[in-house]
Amino acid sequence: MSKRARLTALFGVLSALIVVAVVLTVVARPAAVNAASGAPQTVAVSAGLDDCGRGWGEAGSAAGGDQSFRVTNTTVAGIEVYLQAVDSKKVYLDLESIGAGAHAGARVTLGTGRYRFVCLPADADPVHGPAVRVGPAPPGSALTPGIVPVTRTDLIPAAKAYGTWVASRLPALRQQVATVAADAEEGDLSAARRDWLTAHTTYETLGAAYGAFGDLGDAIDGLPRSGPTGFHAVEAALWPGGAASGAAGDTVRAAVAARTLLSDVDSLITAFPGARIDPGDIGLRAHEIVEDALRDVLTGAADAGSGTELATVDADLTGAAQALAPLHGILASRYSGLAETERALQTTQALVRSLRTNGAWPALTALGAAQRERVDAAVSRTAELLAPVAAICDPRRDA
């Protein structure tokens, strides 16, 4: 799934997941946007260079509460449109990529304040529509929260700080993989399995950089369903038939796979200084790491025989926390659920770690139903709390 598709999906479910300062995005062709019973009357709004915001609050004021809009792009190119609070610059509606002559329908619930539409052509400065004074919403209305947009410039320091941390971890990863290769060369299966887990969990903590790793990332940690590569190729050789089978590993095949993995890690270390972590990726990856742990790891889809899924989840939670850390300053004033999210990462990781026995990680299949349900619920809740981070940190233009 593309980054934009993921973010569109996130925006669509945020209000159902958690009450948070969020911008809801709905892009559509002409449609009856007030078909639901009790829906407000739809207001036709123009979005162009000379008529931005025309059609709403023509008298300079509008009633508070539910607002339903059908926004039409009157330009000859694509356009993005915000509904913004004039004084705070918080955005309450973000309609992306409305094509020339196309329409976008959306609903928001507004309280007392001054608002305006802002039209953002791709190759021109933002155009501000007239300010509209909105009255108080009816009692009991669930107001749409707004956020101050996060720009790409805001995110650059976070991306640089995260990139520096990743670079600091790569030498340790290289040494750990070299140790696995040496173990396999010596025919020491027990050591190879132990050291493989150390190296693999180190790599799993780097999840927010996978986009910058490119094809090397797929080579280093390709999922088993697409044919095991990298770590998973070594895993399949060390645990043939799965961890519970008791089958002896294939040290020759493991040695070959480990040498290939080491070569790929060396290539990554050489290439990474010239790679670029997209500033817009950090918040999205923080959520994706935990989402992927829920979808791939906790379903067993990412296991190639070792049965070390819980160790991987533990590493993924560390990786998500590392991605979230440099965003703290940006999110502190924008996301009311930030402290809860940080606590959820810690408590979920504590729960996962509590399942170890004498330092050994049990396989998923060894857990009881109640244990599986607790882990799944905790990881799912953490993913939900991280979803707004991805949405809030989606870069927007300063309007």
Side-chain angles (χ1 to χ4, degrees):
M1 184 182 290
S2 68
K3 175 183 175 182
R4 178 58 59 200
R6 280 183 179 270
L7 285 170
T8 300
L10 286 173
F11 282 129
V13 300
L14 282 181
S15 59
L17 295 177
I18 182 172
V19 177
V20 61
V22 184
V23 183
L24 299 177
T25 301
V26 183
V27 180
R29 291 291 175 182
V33 294
N34 60 340
S37 174
Q41 182 179 358
T42 298
V43 177
V45 178
S46 298
L49 301 183
D50 300 318
D51 58 358
C52 183
R54 182 179 299 168
W56 182 51
E58 292 295 317
S61 63
D66 289 346
Q67 313 280 330
S68 179
F69 301 108
R70 184 172 183 262
V71 180
T72 300
N73 177 5
T74 60
T75 73
V76 296
I79 200 167
E80 183 173 3
V81 179
Y82 295 164
L83 178 60
Q84 182 187 63
V86 174
D87 300 320
S88 68
K89 299 188 73 174
K90 288 183 177 180
V91 172
Y92 290 79
L93 182 69
D94 180 0
L95 301 173
E96 299 178 340
S97 304
I98 308 175
H103 314 281
R107 290 177 60 181
V108 293
T109 303
L110 301 177
T112 303
R114 293 193 306 150
Y115 302 85
R116 66 187 175 195
F117 279 95
V118 181
C119 302
L120 300 102
D123 299 318
D125 292 335
V127 177
H128 296 97
V132 176
R133 186 171 296 280
V134 174
S141 297
L143 300 181
T144 300
I147 60 167
V148 176
V150 175
T151 68
R152 189 166 293 273
T153 300
D154 293 333
L155 292 165
I156 287 175
K160 287 183 175 179
Y162 182 75
T164 299
W165 178 78
V166 171
S168 75
R169 299 299 299 146
L170 291 179
L173 174 67
R174 200 266 177 201
Q175 181 56 52
Q176 290 164 359
V177 172
T179 300
V180 177
D183 293 337
E185 293 280 0
E186 295 170 2
D188 191 339
L189 275 175
S190 178
R193 288 171 172 171
R194 179 196 65 225
D195 294 330
W196 175 89
L197 183 57
T198 298
H200 185 239
T201 51
T202 294
Y203 184 79
E204 286 288 326
T205 64
L206 310 179
Y210 288 174
F213 291 170
D215 291 343
L216 281 170
D218 293 333
I220 290 171
D221 203 41
L223 288 175
R225 63 171 175 261
S226 59
T229 61
F231 277 108
H232 292 300
V234 179
E235 179 185 10
L238 291 175
W239 287 274
S245 71
D250 186 335
T251 54
V252 174
R253 186 157 65 98
V256 171
R259 285 197 298 269
T260 300
L261 173 60
L262 182 59
S263 176
D264 288 336
V265 171
D266 283 337
S267 296
L268 177 62
I269 290 173
T270 298
F272 189 70
R276 178 176 175 272
I277 295 178
D278 188 331
D281 275 357
I282 305 299
L284 177 62
R285 301 299 180 196
H287 171 259
E288 283 184 341
I289 291 168
V290 181
E291 182 184 54
D292 290 348
L294 186 66
R295 184 191 62 225
D296 296 327
V297 183
L298 287 176
T299 61
D303 178 55
S306 67
T308 56
E309 297 97 336
L310 290 173
T312 299
V313 172
D314 177 57
D316 288 339
L317 292 167
T318 295
Q322 288 292 340
L324 189 63
L327 298 171
H328 186 94
I330 291 171
L331 293 168
S333 62
R334 291 176 169 89
Y335 181 25
S336 61
L338 178 60
E340 184 182 2
T341 303
E342 293 170 336
R343 285 195 301 272
L345 281 165
Q346 295 170 357
T347 57
T348 301
Q349 190 163 47
L351 170 63
V352 172
R353 290 179 175 179
S354 72
L355 298 173
R356 288 183 297 183
T357 303
N358 297 323
W361 291 100
L364 282 178
T365 54
L367 298 183
Q371 290 175 312
R372 285 290 299 272
E373 289 172 2
R374 284 198 298 273
V375 172
D376 288 348
V379 175
S380 179
R381 178 59 175 160
T382 303
E384 289 178 1
L385 288 166
L386 284 165
V389 172
I392 292 168
C393 292
D394 183 25
R396 293 179 173 82
R397 290 172 61 179
D398 188 358

